[in-house]
Amino acid sequence: MAELGLLLGNVVIHRFALDKAEILIGRNPRSDILITDATVSSRHATLHCEFDEHNQIKNIVLEDLNSTNGSRVNNQLVKRQKLAHDDIIYIGSTQLKVIDEEAGAAHTVITDMSHIRLRERLDQVKLDELSLREQQVFTEIGRGKQRKEIARDLNLSVHTVSDHIKAIYRKLDISSRQEAVLLYKHLNG
Protein backbone atom coordinates (compact mmCIF):
# COMPACT_ATOMS: atom_id res chain seq x y z
CA MET A 1 0.00 0.00 0.00
CA ALA A 2 1.19 3.50 -0.80
CA GLU A 3 2.10 5.84 2.06
CA LEU A 4 3.29 9.36 2.72
CA GLY A 5 6.56 9.61 4.59
CA LEU A 6 7.30 12.61 6.80
CA LEU A 7 10.85 13.70 6.00
CA LEU A 8 13.50 15.01 8.37
CA GLY A 9 16.29 15.97 6.01
CA ASN A 10 16.28 13.09 3.53
CA VAL A 11 15.09 10.50 6.05
CA VAL A 12 11.54 9.21 6.44
CA ILE A 13 10.77 9.45 10.17
CA HIS A 14 7.03 8.75 10.16
CA ARG A 15 4.61 7.13 7.73
CA PHE A 16 0.98 7.95 7.01
CA ALA A 17 -1.15 5.23 5.40
CA LEU A 18 -3.06 6.29 2.30
CA ASP A 19 -6.10 4.19 3.11
CA LYS A 20 -9.02 6.56 2.42
CA ALA A 21 -10.47 8.09 -0.73
CA GLU A 22 -9.86 11.61 0.63
CA ILE A 23 -7.16 12.64 3.09
CA LEU A 24 -7.22 16.19 4.45
CA ILE A 25 -3.91 17.90 5.20
CA GLY A 26 -3.85 21.05 7.29
CA ARG A 27 -3.64 22.82 10.61
CA ASN A 28 -7.22 21.94 11.62
CA PRO A 29 -7.18 19.38 14.48
CA ARG A 30 -9.65 17.28 12.45
CA SER A 31 -7.19 16.93 9.57
CA ASP A 32 -6.11 13.41 8.68
CA ILE A 33 -2.53 14.70 8.50
CA LEU A 34 -2.16 17.50 11.05
CA ILE A 35 0.62 20.02 10.49
CA THR A 36 1.00 22.57 13.28
CA ASP A 37 2.87 25.20 11.31
CA ALA A 38 1.64 28.81 11.12
CA THR A 39 2.33 28.87 7.35
CA VAL A 40 -0.12 26.00 6.79
CA SER A 41 -3.80 26.77 6.22
CA SER A 42 -6.46 25.14 8.35
CA ARG A 43 -7.67 23.13 5.33
CA HIS A 44 -4.55 23.30 3.18
CA ALA A 45 -4.78 20.42 0.73
CA THR A 46 -6.52 17.13 0.03
CA LEU A 47 -5.14 13.87 -1.31
CA HIS A 48 -7.61 12.06 -3.56
CA CYS A 49 -6.83 8.33 -3.65
CA GLU A 50 -8.32 6.00 -6.26
CA PHE A 51 -8.21 2.27 -5.48
CA ASP A 52 -8.28 -0.75 -7.79
CA GLU A 53 -10.34 -3.92 -7.29
CA HIS A 54 -7.64 -5.31 -4.93
CA ASN A 55 -7.82 -2.19 -2.74
CA GLN A 56 -4.39 -1.03 -3.97
CA ILE A 57 -3.91 2.62 -4.84
CA LYS A 58 -4.19 3.25 -8.55
CA ASN A 59 -3.88 7.05 -8.53
CA ILE A 60 -3.06 9.75 -5.99
CA VAL A 61 -3.89 13.38 -6.73
CA LEU A 62 -2.92 16.33 -4.54
CA GLU A 63 -5.38 19.24 -4.64
CA ASP A 64 -4.55 22.58 -3.03
CA LEU A 65 -7.64 23.95 -1.25
CA ASN A 66 -6.90 27.62 -2.06
CA SER A 67 -4.38 27.72 0.78
CA THR A 68 -2.71 31.01 1.62
CA ASN A 69 0.84 29.82 0.86
CA GLY A 70 0.09 27.14 -1.73
CA SER A 71 1.17 23.54 -2.14
CA ARG A 72 4.25 22.39 -4.01
CA VAL A 73 5.23 19.09 -5.58
CA ASN A 74 8.92 18.66 -6.32
CA ASN A 75 9.31 22.40 -5.63
CA GLN A 76 6.69 23.40 -8.24
CA LEU A 77 3.61 25.32 -7.08
CA VAL A 78 0.51 23.28 -7.99
CA LYS A 79 -3.28 23.55 -7.74
CA ARG A 80 -3.93 19.91 -8.67
CA GLN A 81 -1.23 17.34 -9.39
CA LYS A 82 -1.13 13.59 -9.97
CA LEU A 83 1.55 12.10 -7.72
CA ALA A 84 4.09 9.36 -8.36
CA HIS A 85 6.53 7.33 -6.26
CA ASP A 86 9.28 9.53 -4.73
CA ASP A 87 7.44 12.83 -5.36
CA ILE A 88 8.01 15.31 -2.54
CA ILE A 89 5.04 17.39 -1.34
CA TYR A 90 5.84 20.67 0.41
CA ILE A 91 3.14 21.97 2.77
CA GLY A 92 4.59 24.97 4.60
CA SER A 93 8.00 23.82 5.84
CA THR A 94 6.83 20.19 6.04
CA GLN A 95 8.03 17.69 3.44
CA LEU A 96 6.05 14.53 2.68
CA LYS A 97 7.40 11.86 0.33
CA VAL A 98 5.16 9.56 -1.71
CA ILE A 99 6.19 5.99 -0.99
CA ASP A 100 4.78 3.20 -3.13
CA GLU A 101 5.81 -0.21 -1.81
CA GLU A 102 5.06 -1.69 -5.23
CA ALA A 103 8.17 0.17 -6.42
CA GLY A 104 10.27 -2.77 -5.27
CA ALA A 105 12.41 -4.20 -2.51
CA ALA A 106 15.38 -1.92 -3.26
CA HIS A 107 13.39 1.04 -1.99
CA THR A 108 12.53 -0.79 1.22
CA VAL A 109 16.20 -1.54 1.91
CA ILE A 110 17.15 2.11 1.36
CA THR A 111 14.35 3.28 3.67
CA ASP A 112 15.36 0.82 6.38
CA MET A 113 18.99 1.94 6.18
CA SER A 114 17.84 5.57 6.37
CA HIS A 115 16.03 4.83 9.62
CA ILE A 116 19.24 3.31 11.01
CA ARG A 117 21.25 6.40 9.98
CA LEU A 118 18.60 8.67 11.54
CA ARG A 119 18.64 6.71 14.81
CA GLU A 120 22.47 6.85 14.88
CA ARG A 121 22.38 10.60 14.28
CA LEU A 122 19.76 11.18 16.97
CA ASP A 123 21.59 8.97 19.45
CA GLN A 124 24.72 11.08 18.93
CA VAL A 125 22.91 14.27 19.99
CA LYS A 126 24.32 15.52 23.24
CA LEU A 127 22.06 17.91 25.09
CA ASP A 128 24.87 18.64 27.55
CA GLU A 129 26.41 20.81 24.81
CA LEU A 130 23.52 23.21 25.43
CA SER A 131 23.66 25.76 28.23
CA LEU A 132 21.03 25.44 30.95
CA ARG A 133 19.00 28.28 29.40
CA GLU A 134 19.29 26.72 25.93
CA GLN A 135 18.02 23.41 27.38
CA GLN A 136 15.05 25.27 28.86
CA VAL A 137 14.28 26.95 25.51
CA PHE A 138 14.69 23.62 23.68
CA THR A 139 12.21 22.00 26.09
CA GLU A 140 9.68 24.77 25.48
CA ILE A 141 10.08 24.43 21.69
CA GLY A 142 9.57 20.67 22.05
CA ARG A 143 6.34 21.36 23.93
CA GLY A 144 5.12 23.39 20.95
CA LYS A 145 5.51 26.90 22.33
CA GLN A 146 6.22 29.90 20.10
CA ARG A 147 8.98 32.48 20.72
CA LYS A 148 6.71 34.99 22.46
CA GLU A 149 5.32 32.31 24.79
CA ILE A 150 8.82 31.08 25.62
CA ALA A 151 9.99 34.65 26.29
CA ARG A 152 7.06 35.27 28.62
CA ASP A 153 7.39 31.94 30.46
CA LEU A 154 11.17 32.22 30.93
CA ASN A 155 11.13 35.97 31.58
CA LEU A 156 13.34 36.73 28.57
CA SER A 157 13.08 39.09 25.61
CA VAL A 158 11.93 37.63 22.29
CA HIS A 159 15.30 38.68 20.84
CA THR A 160 17.17 36.68 23.50
CA VAL A 161 14.96 33.64 22.83
CA SER A 162 15.76 33.97 19.10
CA ASP A 163 19.48 34.03 19.91
CA HIS A 164 19.12 30.88 22.04
CA ILE A 165 17.19 29.15 19.25
CA LYS A 166 19.95 29.94 16.73
CA ALA A 167 22.54 28.50 19.13
CA ILE A 168 20.40 25.38 19.71
CA TYR A 169 19.99 24.77 15.97
CA ARG A 170 23.74 25.17 15.41
CA LYS A 171 24.77 22.92 18.33
CA LEU A 172 22.21 20.20 17.51
CA ASP A 173 22.78 20.44 13.74
CA ILE A 174 19.12 21.13 12.95
CA SER A 175 17.58 23.84 10.81
CA SER A 176 13.90 24.21 11.71
CA ARG A 177 11.37 24.28 14.53
CA GLN A 178 9.87 21.08 13.10
CA GLU A 179 13.21 19.27 13.43
CA ALA A 180 13.59 20.59 16.99
CA VAL A 181 10.14 19.30 17.96
CA LEU A 182 10.81 15.90 16.37
CA LEU A 183 14.18 15.66 18.09
CA TYR A 184 12.64 16.63 21.44
CA LYS A 185 9.95 13.96 21.02
CA HIS A 186 12.56 11.35 20.10
CA LEU A 187 14.72 12.17 23.11
CA ASN A 188 11.79 12.26 25.52
CA GLY A 189 10.06 9.07 24.42
Side-chain angles (χ1 to χ4, degrees):
M1 168 146 315
E3 301 171 308
L4 278 187
L6 174 63
L7 293 176
L8 176 61
N10 292 324
V11 178
V12 175
I13 61 167
H14 184 77
R15 292 176 179 239
F16 299 96
L18 301 180
D19 54 2
K20 296 177 11 179
E22 286 195 0
I23 297 171
L24 178 64
I25 303 171
R27 210 174 63 231
N28 185 317
R30 293 187 179 153
S31 298
D32 298 298
I33 299 177
L34 176 65
I35 301 174
T36 56
D37 176 343
T39 64
V40 174
S41 296
S42 182
R43 294 176 42 84
H44 197 98
T46 300
L47 290 172
H48 301 280
C49 302
E50 182 183 345
F51 297 89
D52 65 16
E53 63 275 4
H54 303 291
N55 208 26
Q56 297 297 314
I57 289 189
K58 200 163 58 169
N59 288 311
I60 308 168
V61 175
L62 174 74
E63 178 182 9
D64 184 82
L65 299 175
N66 297 317
S67 65
T68 302
N69 294 310
S71 301
R72 294 177 291 141
V73 175
N74 301 326
N75 259 337
Q76 299 295 317
L77 197 60
V78 298
K79 283 291 183 188
R80 188 173 177 89
Q81 174 73 39
K82 183 176 179 181
L83 300 173
H85 174 66
D86 278 344
D87 278 347
I88 306 291
I89 302 167
Y90 298 84
I91 305 287
S93 61
T94 300
Q95 296 179 23
L96 301 163
K97 181 177 184 176
V98 177
I99 301 169
D100 184 359
E101 294 192 4
E102 298 298 313
H107 171 73
T108 303
V109 170
I110 291 169
T111 301
D112 289 342
M113 289 176 67
S114 296
H115 282 291
I116 291 167
R117 283 194 299 274
L118 174 65
R119 179 152 313 276
E120 288 172 355
R121 179 175 169 227
L122 293 177
D123 290 342
Q124 291 171 359
V125 169
K126 296 196 175 21
L127 289 182
D128 57 359
E129 293 178 12
L130 302 179
S131 70
L132 179 59
R133 185 59 89 181
E134 289 167 351
Q135 289 178 23
Q136 291 170 332
V137 171
F138 177 68
T139 298
E140 298 304 308
I141 292 170
R143 292 177 177 161
K145 292 186 180 177
Q146 299 299 315
R147 290 172 202 252
K148 286 182 182 179
E149 294 173 291
I150 296 169
R152 182 193 66 228
D153 293 350
L154 297 179
N155 199 25
L156 300 170
S157 73
V158 174
H159 179 77
T160 300
V161 170
S162 295
D163 287 344
H164 285 308
I165 290 172
K166 289 176 193 171
I168 291 165
Y169 287 8
R170 183 177 32 77
K171 290 177 181 180
L172 298 181
D173 192 27
I174 56 177
S175 58
S176 70
R177 172 173 292 277
Q178 179 183 1
E179 287 182 69
V181 170
L182 292 169
L183 179 59
Y184 176 83
K185 288 180 180 178
H186 171 78
L187 294 171
N188 292 286

